[in-house]
Structures are given as structure tokens and as C-alpha cells.
């Protein structure tokens, strides 16, 4: 009985692998002019540690194709982009930008990048010095 049940579970999981995540990217070319303007140094950090979830330049990791992890990955990218897309920056109102700067100051020390993501992305890890640099940049823009 248990064997049959196990078989069904494995079968169901295999079938579920056919559900692929669909992470939309705009069909029109991304307008580089809208991208956030920061020093090359800050940009480098944002690209390696934030862009997977906060831009259209998302690199889907291998587990992003494995159900059920794919659902989690998709949700992070969707929510992350909704909150903040560094490539849509110039379209944001001053109010929204202020909210983001404050959000960065509040989250950069522990919450962002998502700890779960860092476990799988050694290279996205930021040193405390780098976190401070991002924080200082955000702080200096808060009015
Ligand atoms: C693995 C995906 C992922 C990465 C990488 C990531 N974020 Fe996020 N970020 C999210 C998600 C998802 C949210 C939505 C917050 C929530 O639902 O808790 C978010 C929210 C935020 C917010 C708003 C949070 C608040 O509560 O005010 C800021 C600011 C932010 N991220 C900055 C960053 C910065 C800066 C980096 C890079 C250093 C980064 N994130 C990297 C997924 C990510």
C-alpha cells in the first residue's frame, strides 16, 4: 500500500515538473535611460546581488526549474520587481524613490538580499563594507 502511494507521489512530482515558470520580460527593448544612476562601484554590487529579483536581468537558477522550488523563485522575482525594479527607476515618483531608499537602509544589513537566496548564491554575498556603501548611498538620497 505504502509503495503504491509512494509511486503516486513520485509520479505526481514528475508530472509537476512540466509546469514551467514564466518570468515575463517586456517585449520592447529595455530603455537603459530609465535605469538607476549610481557609481560603477554601487552598480556592480546591485548587479551581482540584487538584479536577479529587482530588474529584468533575471538569471533563473537550476532549482528555479524544479517544482515546487520554481514557485518560490517566481514569487520572489515577481514581488521583488513590484517593489523595486532598478531598470524602471526613472519612472518612479519621488515618493516611491524615497520609500525605496528608506527600505534599503532598513533591510540591507540582514533582510536583503534574501538570506535564502544567499545560501544558493555564494557570489551574491556582500561584505559589511559593501553593505555600508549601499546604505550610505541610499541614506544620502533621503530627503
Ligand atoms: C532572491 C530575490 C531577491 C534579491 C536577490 C534581492 N531582493 Fe529585495 N526583495 C525581494 C522580495 C521578494 C521583496 C518583497 C519583500 C517581501 O515580500 O518581504 C524585496 C523587497 C525589497 C525592498 C523593500 C523592503 C521593505 O520592506 O521596505 C528593498 C528596499 C529591497 N528589496 C532591496 C534589495 C537590495 C538593495 C538588494 C540587493 C542588495 C535586494 N533587495 C536583493 C527579493 C529579493
Amino acid at each position: 500500500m505504502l509503495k503504491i502511494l509512494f509511486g503516486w507521489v513520485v509520479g505526481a512530482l514528475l508530472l509537476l515538473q512540466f509546469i514551467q515558470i514564466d518570468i515575463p520580460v517586456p517585449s520592447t527593448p529595455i530603455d537603459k535611460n530609465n535605469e538607476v544612476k549610481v557609481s560603477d562601484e554601487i552598480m556592480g554590487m546591485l548587479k551581482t546581488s540584487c538584479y536577479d529579483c529587482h530588474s529584468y536581468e533575471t538569471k533563473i537558477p537550476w532549482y528555479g526549474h524544479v517544482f515546487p522550488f520554481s514557485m518560490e523563485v517566481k514569487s520572489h522575482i515577481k514581488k521583488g520587481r513590484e517593489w523595486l525594479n532598478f531598470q524602471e527607476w526613472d519612472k518612479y515618483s519621488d515618493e516611491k524613490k524615497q520609500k525605496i531608499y528608506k527600505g534599503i537602509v532598513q533591510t540591507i544589513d540582514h533582510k536583503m538580499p534574501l538570506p535564502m537566496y544567499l545560501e544558493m548564491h555564494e557570489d551574491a554575498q556582500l561584505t559589511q563594507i559593501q553593505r555600508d556603501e549601499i546604505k550610505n548611498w541610499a541614506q544620502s538620497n533621503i530627503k
Side-chain angles (χ1 to χ4, degrees):
M1 183 59 204
L2 218 56
K3 255 190 192 161
I4 296 172
L5 190 67
F6 184 72
W8 275 105
V9 170
V10 171
L13 273 175
L14 282 177
L15 278 178
L16 285 166
Q17 301 309 324
F18 288 105
I19 305 180
Q20 281 304 327
I21 45 169
D22 165 38
I23 310 257
V25 171
S27 50
T28 47
I30 296 156
D31 186 351
K32 279 276 172 201
N33 293 323
N34 290 330
E35 195 161 33
V36 67
K37 313 280 180 300
V38 286
S39 67
D40 288 350
E41 207 191 346
I42 300 276
M43 187 48 104
M45 292 188 257
L46 299 183
K47 287 217 167 171
T48 39
S49 302
C50 319
Y51 262 48
D52 269 348
C53 303
H54 292 295
S55 85
Y56 294 122
E57 283 172 24
T58 303
K59 288 189 270 327
I60 312 272
W62 63 267
Y63 57 88
H65 299 288
V66 182
F67 186 90
F69 310 105
S70 50
M71 301 315 276
E72 188 76 7
V73 169
K74 183 181 175 175
S75 138
H76 285 160
I77 296 167
K78 187 165 174 283
K79 280 200 224 138
R81 281 185 189 167
E82 272 164 17
W83 249 100
L84 156 64
N85 184 333
F86 285 115
Q87 291 179 313
E88 296 279 10
W89 188 260
D90 275 1
K91 294 189 192 163
Y92 293 159
S93 65
D94 277 348
E95 204 183 326
K96 172 143 179 157
K97 287 180 191 160
Q98 286 298 312
K99 207 168 143 194
I100 294 172
Y101 287 133
K102 286 179 194 152
I104 292 176
V105 171
Q106 280 162 13
T107 56
I108 196 71
D109 280 328
H110 42 90
K111 226 180 115 196
M112 286 296 144
L114 291 181
M116 199 200 284
Y117 170 84
L118 288 178
E119 275 174 31
M120 303 299 284
H121 293 80
E122 202 54 41
D123 54 321
Q125 192 64 256
L126 295 166
T127 64
Q128 190 56 49
I129 296 170
Q130 290 176 312
R131 288 178 195 266
D132 287 346
E133 279 171 37
I134 296 179
K135 201 199 276 182
N136 288 342
W137 157 69
Q139 187 77 55
S140 69
N141 284 295
I142 295 176
K143 288 180 192 136

